[in-house]
Amino acid sequence: MSWFLELERSLQATAILGVLATLVLVGAAKWSASATTLLGLVATVLAAVPAVCMPTSATFPLLVLLAATLLCVLLVRGDELADARHRAETVALILFGSAGACVLVTADNLLSLLIGFESMSLSVAVLSGIGRGPRALEAAFRFFVLGAIAASMMIYGIGLHAYATGSFQIGATVVTGEGLSTLHTIGHLLLLLGIAFELAIVPLQFGALGVCQAGPIGGVAFAMTVSKVGAAFALQRLVGGDRLLQDVLVALAVTTIVWGTFGALAQRTLRGLLANSAVAQGGFVALAVACGASAHSTTCFYLAVYVAAAALVLAAISGDRDDMELTAIRTRPFGVMRRLALVVGLMSLAGLPPTPGFLAKFLVLARSWETAGVTWTVVAALGGVFGALYYMRPVPDLLAGGASITNASRPTMGVRLAIALAVVVTTVCAVAPHLAMRLAA
Amino acid sequence: MNSLLPWAFLFTLPGLLLTACGVGRAGLASLLGPIAVFFAGALWLAGDHAPLLVHVADWLPMLGDAAFSLRLDSLSAVMLAVIGAVASCVYVYSLAYMHDDPGQRRFFALLDFFVATMCLLVLAGNLVVLILGWAGVGLASFLLISFWRDKEGTLGAGMQALAANAIGDAALLLAVVLLPWGAGDLTTLHSASLAAVPGGVTTVAAMLVVAAAAKSAQGPLYFWLPSAMAGPTPVSALIHAATMVAAGVYLLCRTHLVLAQAPEVLTVVAWLGVVTALVAAIASLQQTNYKKGLAYSTLSQLGYMFAAVGFGAPFAAFFHLFTHASFKALLFLVAGIVIHATDGEEELGKLGGLRQQLAGPAWLSLVGSLALIGLPVLTAGAFSKDLVLEAGLHQAPMLGYLLLGGVVLTGLYTGRLWFAVFGRTDSHLHAHAPGALLLGPVALLAVGAVVLGWLGNPLGEVLTPALGKAPEVHAWSSLGAIAGGLGVAGFLLAGAWVRAKGSGAALPSFAGSWVDGARDVSAGFARLVASVHDGRVVTCIVFSMLGAGVVTLVTILRS
């Protein structure tokens, strides 16, 4: 056991997730779906133990990541998969992907970073592919192809970094030589673009967009939360205090916010709206990351709030196999719990008080003003507040409810647990944001 | 006991929970909330007038001094009393007005939320807390305007309110972000450190004005308020009298010390107010819908308040807000009675001749109308409008004379609406007589529309620490007599106009609006973005690779 205890916290978490994911896969054929889900939950909780017992700066990111994983596992439903028997495989894939994300969160070596990225990326592709219907398969294929392009950019970037520094370590200094500094910059830029693919940053937003529109809810939750958390902290270390990379990331982030906002405004379905809004949210995460290490706790807070809000929304719509026309949302058989979860989740994503989404966006803008300057901050603020225009579109209908509430089916235990967990996080972040931020700091 | 008063924004929450959970008759539990809010304000005003502060330090530790800060002083106490009084009237009225509506529980729960957020806004001790209430009021108004989902256009109207609010929210967010200390005490915003802001105090003052203009529907940001008439009439009364639009004027009064350091911004505010007052008055004369006619009259009166702030007379602006709350709520609630009594008819051309059938509301509406015009001595509106005009003629005579001329327009639009609905005694419509629950609150507001003006001097004393030394309020002055005479002349002229042309008498409308253009442009861009996301793998690859190439090229060129 001593070798295990000597590992870094993130690697201990990775090891636990990996071992238990393998166990889930081995037992998939024999065990019931509930047993595999339960094992998935146990794996996630166990993975959090090392990080909690011996806190480091990576503890909070790891906890957010594992909370997101827990929510993903809870949201896995057999009836959304091409074959309901694939539920155990879905749980195993989520655990494998999360193991990769744990590596991304703390890796200081570019090769580890690539392995983490690939584990996460391939998991998302397969998670989408085992969904019901041809659109899920198409989205998986698209994600796989674009993921391969992103990975190749990263590999090329790693090569240039290694050539310029003679090392695979993040933060290694450039050895003396003509033009090496430029090569190093290009290398880092390619790495940034590769990782940005997981955050769904423009121009690499297509992969996650497709998965969010067509994948099963478990896969969507993974792409919207776990992938973003992993990628955000990897980017944070990569960008560090490099002014040039910070500027590039600010520009990409704000472009993404505007792009995602306009994309979502054009949507007529809830799935489309959420997919495009996930792009805009990725922009805000990237903006927080671009503010450097000093904005670490702001990034953590934003991600915690975002994961909880996304979980509320996804839990509310889980089990609905269509894209959910916005004009017909009032007549859907949603019960009170799902309606309220959806309303609170959408409000938090929109950044409206009294939900913590407001504070999260506000803090990011406050930070970005120092790093990004007036123009980018003004555009980001406008993108943020106009986001309310699309997020709030279904809310009056959801509150109006009416007869459809009485015909509503009872949400599954997993959905209820996911909503409860997300509500706890949302409430804590709304009432006592200073606690969450102190923990993150 | 006093330590509870700054938490008055929580007073409507028990009612909200009980109503939402279905306890008792819908709305009854909610009724206690606004009454408690009124008493919170009244208790403070009856006390020793020492400001009550709540300061939870390090609420947002990343933001310097961003504590959770509440402040109950004279300005917020008077606002609480106004909000509580008007909201109580609206709640009682709504018990009857919404009685048959299947969504009445939701309605009262949303009203509770609306009042809670407005109270938080006026109790805010710094900008961050103010933004919480500010955005909350916008959200609540959106939900209330879109309340009747079966009625066509309600969602669009709510969206317009949300869009205008978004502009204001962005401005206020940027004001906070620009401040070196993040939040700043709301009264001064740390004046000494404002110099560190790019553009100095002018930038922050300009942001505050943009935010206030969005909330109070001034200048080009007027568009959402007339559309908001799609909501239930009690909501219109609340939005137009004591909440939402009042927030913009409140913010300007609260931060008048900061605005005073930016004279160029004050000039813009004065012009913005005068132009809005005049243009909205003309727009009111163009409306064929009863409630929209009233909505534009609110815009016009808010213009008077903005102009007063621009003239450096925050007390005049606030006093007009104070008196306006009573008679504007009255006029809207009477409109609701008329609409309720005629089974939903809102078109002026189809109304008319209801004086005999709705005698009580007709007389009450006349009181409100005369208060809006500013009939000297007898109505509250005269006292406050007199102060605004005095400040205008003293500080910027040209603008002052324009506002004085505007009083004729006020008389015209008020008279047109009154004569169009109640002008004759013959009507082809059958109107149901209103019950006591509908009439009682209106009668109470009518009392306010008459007597509140006499509170001017004591109010001025109470508000001196917050708004500076207030000028003496006169019941009678030559300026007031001229203004009142002009208003009454306009009112009678409108009567002759309606008699000659019928109930539907209106000026021809302007064509188009900048809002339509902005909506078309943004919709076009949204469609363009959506067309790129066509789902084809080739498009994805080409776009991604081209984008990555451009980013790399630009970065290399910059490095």
Side-chain angles (χ1 to χ4, degrees):
Chain A
M1 277 304 281
S2 61
W3 64 270
F4 179 79
L5 293 174
E6 283 165 15
L7 286 174
E8 273 189 31
R9 303 292 155 256
S10 64
L11 291 183
Q12 289 176 350
T14 310
I16 292 169
L17 286 173
V19 169
L20 289 172
T22 313
L23 198 61
V24 170
L25 264 187
V26 171
K30 294 178 185 172
W31 299 339
S32 71
S34 305
T36 50
T37 304
L38 193 65
L39 193 59
L41 296 177
V42 170
T44 316
V45 173
L46 278 179
V49 171
V52 172
C53 290
M54 302 177 82
T56 64
S57 61
T59 297
F60 196 81
L62 276 174
L63 288 180
V64 175
L65 186 75
L66 293 169
T69 308
L70 198 73
L71 290 164
C72 293
V73 173
L74 286 170
L75 292 178
V76 172
R77 289 174 65 110
D79 58 357
E80 287 182 344
L81 306 175
D83 186 336
R85 286 171 298 175
H86 288 159
R87 190 167 154 180
E89 282 86 336
T90 307
V91 172
L93 280 166
I94 289 173
L95 297 183
F96 274 131
S98 295
C102 285
V103 174
L104 270 183
V105 165
T106 49
D108 53 5
N109 182 295
L110 290 175
L111 290 178
S112 308
L113 201 77
L114 182 67
I115 291 166
F117 174 86
E118 279 294 357
S119 312
M120 210 164 72
S121 174
L122 288 173
S123 297
V124 175
V126 185
L127 278 170
S128 174
I130 58 178
R132 187 185 282 270
R135 284 177 62 217
L137 205 56
E138 266 178 47
F141 175 69
R142 208 159 44 231
F143 191 91
F144 180 77
V145 171
L146 294 168
I149 292 173
S152 60
M153 279 199 258
M154 283 183 72
I155 292 168
Y156 196 53
I158 291 170
L160 290 177
H161 172 92
Y163 181 70
T165 63
S167 163
F168 288 113
Q169 290 298 113
I170 296 174
T173 47
V174 182
V175 293
T176 316
E178 199 173 327
L180 286 184
S181 177
T182 308
L183 285 183
H184 182 252
T185 302
I186 296 172
H188 271 205
L189 187 66
L190 290 173
L191 274 163
L192 183 149
L193 287 169
I195 299 171
F197 166 76
E198 289 289 353
L199 259 182
I201 298 296
V202 172
L204 296 143
Q205 78 280 24
F206 294 95
L209 194 69
V211 171
C212 292
Q213 272 177 319
I217 288 296
V220 174
F222 189 89
M224 277 177 78
T225 59
V226 177
S227 290
K228 278 189 167 48
V229 176
F233 290 109
L235 266 184
Q236 197 173 54
R237 261 170 303 107
L238 187 73
V239 173
D242 187 326
R243 191 65 221 178
L244 185 67
L245 286 184
Q246 280 182 320
D247 288 347
V248 172
L249 194 54
V250 164
L252 288 177
V254 177
T255 309
T256 303
I257 291 169
V258 174
W259 188 272
T261 301
F262 277 107
L265 280 173
Q267 300 306 311
R268 296 182 188 284
T269 64
L270 189 58
R271 271 294 191 109
L273 188 156
L274 290 175
N276 280 275
S277 81
V279 173
Q281 295 289 344
F284 271 101
V285 175
L287 194 58
V289 168
C291 297
S294 64
H296 176 72
S297 50
T298 300
T299 311
C300 288
F301 184 70
Y302 191 92
L303 282 167
V305 170
Y306 169 68
V307 166
L312 281 173
V313 171
L314 294 173
I317 64 169
S318 73
D320 287 80
R321 291 177 200 160
D322 64 333
D323 282 358
M324 307 174 81
E325 284 288 332
L326 286 172
T327 49
I329 206 151
R330 186 173 159 194
T331 53
R332 295 192 84 89
F334 282 174
V336 174
M337 183 194 256
R338 287 172 71 188
R339 274 173 198 272
L340 286 180
L342 195 47
V343 168
V344 174
L346 287 171
M347 277 173 59
S348 194
L349 289 173
L352 288 170
T355 60
F358 166 76
L359 292 174
K361 274 197 178 138
F362 172 68
L363 288 171
V364 171
L365 290 173
R367 282 290 172 188
S368 103
W369 154 242
E370 293 161 12
T371 311
V374 180
T375 311
W376 291 118
T377 307
V378 169
V379 179
L382 285 171
V385 293
F386 277 98
L389 287 182
Y390 57 81
Y391 278 122
M392 295 312 289
R393 221 163 36 170
V395 171
D397 281 330
L398 286 165
L399 291 177
S404 53
I405 291 179
T406 51
N407 305 330
S409 57
R410 193 174 160 79
T412 62
M413 176 61 88
V415 166
R416 277 180 281 158
L417 277 175
I419 289 175
L421 185 62
V423 164
V424 169
V425 175
T426 302
T427 309
V428 169
C429 290
V431 178
H434 55 291
L435 291 182
M437 279 191 281
R438 277 211 198 102
L439 197 62
Chain B
M1 178 66 183
N2 272 4
S3 59
L4 280 179
L5 298 183
W7 298 93
F9 69 97
L10 296 173
F11 290 178
T12 60
L13 294 189
L16 191 159
L17 291 174
L18 290 173
T19 301
C21 295
V23 178
R25 183 187 160 186
L28 268 186
S30 293
L31 189 55
L32 293 175
I35 294 172
V37 167
F38 171 77
F39 278 108
L43 266 178
W44 189 91
L45 290 168
D48 60 0
H49 296 178
L52 298 172
L53 304 174
V54 172
H55 195 83
V56 181
D58 281 345
W59 177 55
L60 293 175
M62 300 304 116
L63 264 187
D65 66 345
F68 185 85
S69 173
L70 299 172
R71 176 195 194 92
L72 180 55
D73 61 3
S74 52
L75 195 60
S76 41
V78 176
M79 276 304 288
L80 281 185
V82 171
I83 295 165
V86 174
S88 301
C89 290
V90 168
Y91 272 60
V92 173
Y93 178 93
S94 302
L95 286 173
Y97 194 84
M98 302 298 288
H99 185 256
D100 298 325
D101 195 295
Q104 54 180 316
R105 280 195 185 280
R106 179 166 50 96
F107 177 79
F108 278 106
L110 290 174
L111 275 189
D112 286 333
F113 178 57
F114 198 13
V115 174
T117 50
M118 188 64 198
C119 290
L120 179 62
L121 190 155
V122 302
L123 286 164
N126 61 18
L127 267 182
V128 179
V129 179
L130 182 115
I131 291 179
L132 282 178
W134 191 267
V137 166
L139 170 67
S141 66
F142 160 70
L143 294 173
L144 281 164
I145 293 165
S146 324
F147 178 78
W148 280 326
R149 292 296 296 114
D150 293 329
K151 190 175 164 186
E152 200 179 339
T154 52
L155 187 62
M159 284 294 181
Q160 284 196 19
L162 208 56
N165 270 291
I167 296 169
D169 294 353
L172 210 52
L173 266 176
L174 289 169
V176 184
V177 167
L178 284 170
L179 286 170
W181 275 94
D185 172 68
L186 194 52
T187 49
T188 62
L189 301 177
H190 289 308
S191 297
S193 58
L194 281 175
V197 175
V201 68
T202 308
T203 309
V204 174
M207 294 293 174
L208 294 175
V209 170
V210 171
K215 214 52 139 191
S216 295
Q218 293 294 288
L221 299 172
Y222 75 97
F223 59 89
W224 67 269
L225 195 57
S227 308
M229 294 301 106
T233 305
V235 173
S236 308
L238 203 53
I239 287 178
H240 285 249
T243 59
M244 192 74 179
V245 295
V249 179
Y250 168 79
L251 176 67
L252 294 187
C253 290
R254 179 58 96 184
T255 56
H256 74 100
L257 291 176
V258 178
L259 296 177
Q261 295 175 53
E264 58 275 50
V265 175
L266 278 184
T267 307
V268 171
V269 173
W271 273 98
L272 185 71
V274 172
V275 171
T276 308
L278 298 179
V279 174
I282 294 168
S284 175
L285 292 169
Q286 298 171 327
Q287 304 308 311
T288 55
N289 181 289
Y290 186 11
K291 282 173 70 181
K292 284 196 174 176
L294 283 175
Y296 278 102
S297 87
T298 306
L299 285 182
S300 181
Q301 295 306 308
L302 288 165
Y304 277 83
M305 298 172 209
F306 261 61
V309 173
F311 299 146
F315 174 72
F318 189 77
F319 187 36
H320 197 46
L321 172 78
F322 179 74
T323 57
H324 179 261
S326 62
F327 52 78
K328 190 45 66 70
L330 182 160
L331 289 172
F332 266 107
L333 294 186
V334 170
I337 290 176
V338 171
I339 294 163
H340 200 254
T342 55
D343 295 327
E345 189 54 66
E346 293 184 18
E347 287 302 308
L348 289 170
K350 293 178 184 169
L351 292 167
L354 293 172
R355 192 162 64 204
Q356 205 158 41
Q357 296 184 62
L358 299 172
W363 287 110
L364 292 169
S365 175
L366 187 62
V367 172
S369 299
L370 293 174
L372 181 59
I373 292 165
L375 186 69
V377 185
L378 297 176
T379 63
F383 292 77
S384 54
K385 197 173 281 181
D386 203 13
L387 280 192
V388 176
L389 294 173
E390 254 178 40
L393 292 172
H394 182 68
Q395 290 294 324
M398 189 179 75
L399 295 181
Y401 283 118
L402 283 174
L403 284 183
L404 186 61
V407 178
V408 181
L409 293 173
T410 308
L412 271 174
Y413 67 66
T414 310
R416 185 182 76 103
L417 293 174
W418 193 84
F419 283 106
V421 179
F422 300 112
R424 303 186 315 272
T425 52
D426 56 319
S427 171
H428 59 279
L429 289 168
H430 173 69
H432 330 292
L437 277 181
L438 287 176
L439 268 182
V442 183
L444 208 60
L445 288 166
V447 173
V450 174
V451 304
L452 285 181
W454 297 97
L455 296 181
N457 286 324
L459 195 67
E461 270 180 43
V462 170
L463 290 172
T464 297
L467 299 179
K469 179 106 183 82
E472 195 166 340
V473 180
H474 305 286
W476 176 263
S477 69
S478 51
L479 178 62
I482 294 169
L486 288 173
V488 172
F491 188 81
L492 296 174
L493 201 63
W497 184 27
V498 171
R499 264 195 298 280
K501 297 274 183 185
S503 299
L507 292 180
S509 297
F510 304 130
S513 147
W514 73 271
V515 182
D516 298 332
R519 191 172 46 213
D520 291 346
V521 169
S522 58
F525 195 68
R527 278 195 297 275
L528 180 74
V529 170
S531 69
V532 175
H533 296 162
D534 62 359
R536 291 168 63 208
V537 178
V538 177
T539 313
C540 302
I541 294 173
V542 169
F543 188 91
S544 301
M545 296 304 286
L546 266 179
V550 169
V551 172
T552 312
L553 200 64
V554 170
T555 311
I556 291 170
L557 290 176
R558 275 200 57 194
S559 65

